[in-house]
Amino acid sequence: LVIRLHESMSDGHSGNGPLPVWPPCLWWGDADAVRRLHRLQALRQKQGLPLISHVCNLAANAVSLPLDERVAGVSYIDLEMLDAPGMEVNTGLWNRTLRDLKIGLNFIETALASGGVVLVNCFAGQNRSGALLLAWLLVHRTSQGSSLVFTVAGALQHLRRLEPFVLNNESLRQCALEAIKEFQPNMTAGAPRCWVMELKSVGSAISQTSPKDPVEELEESDNLQSLFEDI
């Protein structure tokens, strides 16, 4: 199975399912993608794509997932991050966001270490999920201990090729960069004040009603530098 990274700008989250951040193991979604995961799993199987095994929902306050929208055998973590422009350093909101980003990083790293396939989502698939994915691209180490060799600008450009309006919230971007300075992988740590759930079975029928299209304020993308540092 070969999955190519996007080489040109895509239309972002347009109802076509999760975007490949680092295939085959890490995918990016919005509210629509996580709510339609039942049907998307069947489609992925037909296309020969790996099935999602873990979901990191960063907008549980806006994207609540009842039992009939959760997929049996998939592990979920629900974090209630806020997409708050103008968030100030060292305030309660900043520290809570910093904590949730580090919890999310640990969740992804633990899932990948066990051979899992992770879907990261928020509401519109732009700011909260973008902040976590930016941090992951900068801190992840392969099994050989090497980094993915992204600069900050390079990681942002990679994400913007998938979702053009990623991280138009500057304060979330700064919080993500602060999180990577403090991040220490801890595969056995608990996740305070959040909910990790693995469903064994789901008996309720799946709703056929499509959620409304998410809307967020957009900003023009900054000028981007080279993807990678000179080696």
Side-chain angles (χ1 to χ4, degrees), residues 107-116 140 187:
F107 180 79
I108 296 173
E109 291 291 272
T110 302
L112 298 185
S114 67
H140 180 68
M187 303 305 185

Side-chain angles (χ1 to χ4, degrees), residues 15-221:
N16 296 320
L19 303 174
V21 176
W22 203 256
C25 60
L26 186 59
W27 299 78
W28 187 5
D30 57 4
D32 179 69
V34 74
R35 285 170 173 156
R36 293 193 301 123
L37 190 56
H38 288 93
R39 282 162 281 180
L40 291 173
Q41 292 281 67
L43 182 60
R44 290 173 72 87
Q45 192 167 30
K46 288 180 181 179
Q47 295 175 339
L49 294 173
L51 297 183
I52 301 297
S53 62
H54 295 73
V55 169
C56 183
N57 178 14
L58 294 167
N61 45 341
V63 187
S64 58
L65 297 172
L67 287 179
D68 63 342
E69 290 183 353
R70 294 179 186 257
V71 179
V74 174
S75 296
Y76 291 79
I77 186 169
D78 294 280
L79 297 168
E80 296 185 348
M81 283 179 59
L82 297 177
D83 183 0
M87 180 172 52
E88 296 183 1
V89 177
N90 291 329
T91 61
L93 180 56
W94 174 277
N95 292 332
R96 173 181 166 180
T97 303
L98 200 62
R99 179 205 65 187
D100 286 349
L101 286 169
K102 289 186 280 188
I103 291 172
L105 284 171
N106 257 322
F107 180 79
I108 296 173
E109 291 291 272
T110 302
L112 298 185
S114 67
V117 178
V118 183
L119 171 64
V120 176
N121 77 276
C122 58
F123 183 71
Q126 293 179 356
N127 285 322
R128 286 164 283 195
S129 54
L132 179 58
L133 292 169
L134 172 64
W136 182 85
L137 288 171
L138 296 172
V139 302
H140 180 68
R141 296 294 181 268
T142 68
S143 56
Q144 290 76 37
S146 58
S147 73
L148 300 182
V149 204
F150 279 109
T151 63
V152 174
L156 280 169
Q157 183 175 3
H158 173 59
L159 294 174
R160 282 179 175 149
R161 284 174 171 170
L162 299 169
E163 169 50 68
F165 299 108
V166 63
L167 281 175
N168 52 74
N169 183 336
E170 176 64 26
S171 58
L172 266 177
R173 184 193 313 179
Q174 294 302 320
C175 196
L177 297 180
E178 186 65 26
I180 67 175
K181 297 177 185 178
E182 304 178 9
F183 178 66
Q184 295 293 330
N186 185 352
M187 303 305 185
T188 61
R193 297 178 62 187
C194 65
W195 180 30
V196 180
M197 177 181 184
E198 180 177 353
L199 295 181
K200 299 301 182 183
S201 62
V202 177
S204 302
I206 302 171
S207 172
Q208 300 299 318
T209 304
S210 299
K212 295 181 179 179
D213 293 334
V215 177
E216 287 193 1
E217 291 186 7
L218 310 178
E219 293 181 358
E220 295 181 358
S221 302

